[in-house]
Amino acid sequence: MEKTTLKVNGMSCNHCVNSIEGSVGKLQGVKSVKVHLDAGKVDVEFNPSDVSLNEIKETIDDQGYDVE
């Protein structure tokens, strides 16, 4: 398992939290995802042999948020 923290811009409410946690959490290989709204960060624990970091970033981007 690999853990990473992504900086995500554009999150402002609980809907944002639910949207990101729901979409990323459904990806094959993602063990956990936790949005820290106040900090503008998303912690993700995933298996890199099942899902790439780029796929996770694209999923967040597809929800309308800017991943740095």
Side-chain angles (χ1 to χ4, degrees):
M1 285 293 171
E2 189 173 317
K3 291 182 180 180
T4 190
T5 300
L6 302 171
K7 176 94 172 105
V8 180
N9 296 315
M11 301 185 300
S12 60
C13 62
N14 282 333
H15 173 75
C16 301
V17 172
N18 294 335
S19 176
I20 291 173
E21 288 182 351
S23 62
V24 174
K26 289 179 185 173
L27 292 173
Q28 170 103 16
V30 172
K31 182 179 178 191
S32 67
V33 55
K34 176 69 179 155
V35 173
H36 302 280
L37 192 60
D38 294 340
K41 296 187 180 193
V42 178
D43 294 333
V44 184
E45 185 175 359
F46 64 100
N47 186 340
S49 64
D50 291 329
V51 65
S52 71
L53 182 56
N54 200 44
E55 286 177 274
I56 293 169
K57 289 179 178 180
E58 284 178 9
T59 299
I60 295 172
D61 188 61
D62 288 347
Q63 295 296 315
Y65 306 102
D66 181 36
V67 182
E68 291 183 18

